[in-house]
Structures are given as structure tokens and as C-alpha cells.
Amino acid sequence: MQKKIITTNKKAYHDFLIFDKFSAGLVLTGTEIKSIRKGAINLKDSFVKIEDMEAFLYNAHISLYEQGNRFNHEEKRIRKLLLNKKEILKMLGKVKQENYTIVPLEMYFSGRWAKLDIALAKGKKLYDKRDALKKKDIQRDISKAAKR
């Protein structure tokens, strides 16, 4: 199936070291999926929390659907993620024992279904962020020199 990316969480790649990635489905309402198809979603400050062996997405902002009526959705409501029990147990163990965080990386359409890539991650220290910026600058300078 073809993967059509809707949005990526660039802040997650900047603030965290990414380890294991998982793909999860989402439980959405009708107006939410219509807004997502328009690209009106922001994963910037969102995170995933596991409660009672179920994963939930917090702080993901899906804008209101303009043609929606009184049945329109809340913009920052908590959304359930669809994952296997095995995946949830793996993530829960890493989060509790090794202080990992679960962050959403990107949302995409796989066929007609909206999916979310999530990852186990650890927060970067300030010096790690500086190193990443330095490497990015060096790579940019190299590519500019190669173009000349």
C-alpha cells in the first residue's frame, strides 16, 4: 500500500533521540478525518501515554472542520491508538524501566486509513542539540560547495 504523509513532527526529531518505531491506527470521528485529509493537524507538543493497557494520544491538535455542524469534534481531545498487546507491553516496559518517552513522529494515510508512526525516545541534552545543529550546518556547507 502507498504511504501518503500528512504531517511530521520535526520537533520530536530535534528534541529526542529516536529508538524503536511503531505504526498505530487511530480512533477518529467523521469530522476529524475530514480535517486530517485537508492537512489541518499539528503534532508539535503531543505525546503518547499508556493507561490500562491502552495507548492514548494527548495534545494533538486537529482543527475544526469548517463544514462541520454542532457534531464537530474537540480540537485537542484524547484519541485512542490501536496497537497490538505485544507492542504495548514492549513500550510499557521501556517507559517504566528505562525512562523512555513515547512521541508521535508522523501521520500518514495507508490506503484509506489514517496511521500514526510513534517511537520510543529519550530526551536530548543541550549539548546533543548543539552537535546536531553543527552537523546540519556542516552538511549544508558541503552541499553548497558541491553545487559550485
Side-chain angles (χ1 to χ4, degrees), residues 38-51:
K38 284 186 159 186
I41 180 167
N42 187 358
L43 298 173
K44 190 175 180 182
D45 293 325
S46 57
F47 61 95
V48 176
K49 204 173 187 183
I50 297 175
E51 300 169 349

Side-chain angles (χ1 to χ4, degrees), residues 6-115:
I6 303 162
T7 185
T8 58
N9 188 357
K10 293 177 185 172
K11 190 174 180 190
Y13 288 104
H14 182 263
D15 292 344
F16 295 96
L17 294 169
I18 307 297
F19 294 103
D20 292 339
K21 290 185 181 181
F22 300 92
S23 185
L26 289 127
V27 178
L28 299 168
T29 62
T31 55
E32 284 177 327
I33 196 71
K34 289 178 181 182
S35 289
I36 289 171
R37 287 193 191 282
K38 284 186 159 186
I41 180 167
N42 187 358
L43 298 173
K44 190 175 180 182
D45 293 325
S46 57
F47 61 95
V48 176
K49 204 173 187 183
I50 297 175
E51 300 169 349
D52 298 327
M53 294 304 294
E54 292 180 335
F56 295 95
L57 178 66
Y58 287 83
N59 280 351
H61 183 274
I62 299 176
S63 297
L64 292 175
Y65 185 60
E66 289 108 26
Q67 287 80 33
N69 53 14
R70 65 177 184 228
F71 299 112
N72 226 334
H73 62 277
E74 288 180 43
E75 292 176 326
K76 284 199 170 190
R77 77 174 185 91
I78 300 168
R79 294 166 181 90
K80 185 177 176 182
L81 298 178
L82 304 172
L83 290 162
N84 292 330
K85 188 175 183 180
K86 195 178 198 181
E87 293 172 330
I88 291 174
L89 286 172
K90 182 178 180 180
M91 283 191 273
L92 191 60
K94 294 269 187 173
V95 167
K96 284 192 175 183
Q97 291 177 350
E98 300 176 30
N99 292 330
Y100 279 84
T101 305
I102 307 170
V103 293
L105 299 177
E106 67 182 17
M107 184 173 279
Y108 61 94
F109 281 112
S110 178
R112 56 181 257 216
W113 304 105
K115 301 273 187 174

